[in-house]
Amino acid sequence: MEHTITRLAREAARLSDVPFEEVMGPGHKRAYCRARWAVMLVAYRMNYSSPDIGQRLGGRDHSTVLH
């Protein structure tokens, strides 16, 4: 079964009309960052920890999530 944060990322990619791989990847285009930010916000409000969110979103550091 797919992890909740990954499912959120897939849905954000679909709604933002960007590739899922770009939401999970290192890209810094505005559309990718906005979709990624939306995932982080929803996951954080679902009480996932910052390190867990960062790890699930392409191995990012927890400080990226807090930023």
Side-chain angles (χ1 to χ4, degrees):
M1 188 166 148
E2 193 172 54
H3 193 275
T4 303
I5 295 174
T6 306
R7 282 185 288 159
L8 289 172
R10 286 193 191 284
E11 186 64 13
R14 186 185 69 77
L15 292 172
S16 301
D17 198 29
V18 298
F20 169 73
E21 294 78 19
E22 296 297 342
V23 174
M24 302 298 282
H28 291 288
K29 283 189 174 181
R30 181 176 291 170
Y32 307 159
C33 290
R34 283 188 178 174
R36 205 175 293 136
W37 177 83
V39 174
M40 290 181 194
L41 178 66
V42 172
Y44 194 75
R45 289 186 176 176
M46 292 175 74
N47 293 320
Y48 282 98
S49 69
S50 298
D52 191 31
I53 296 168
Q55 192 62 33
R56 295 282 178 177
L57 285 177
R60 288 174 168 72
D61 188 76
H62 73 281
S63 61
T64 303
V65 177
L66 294 176
H67 183 306

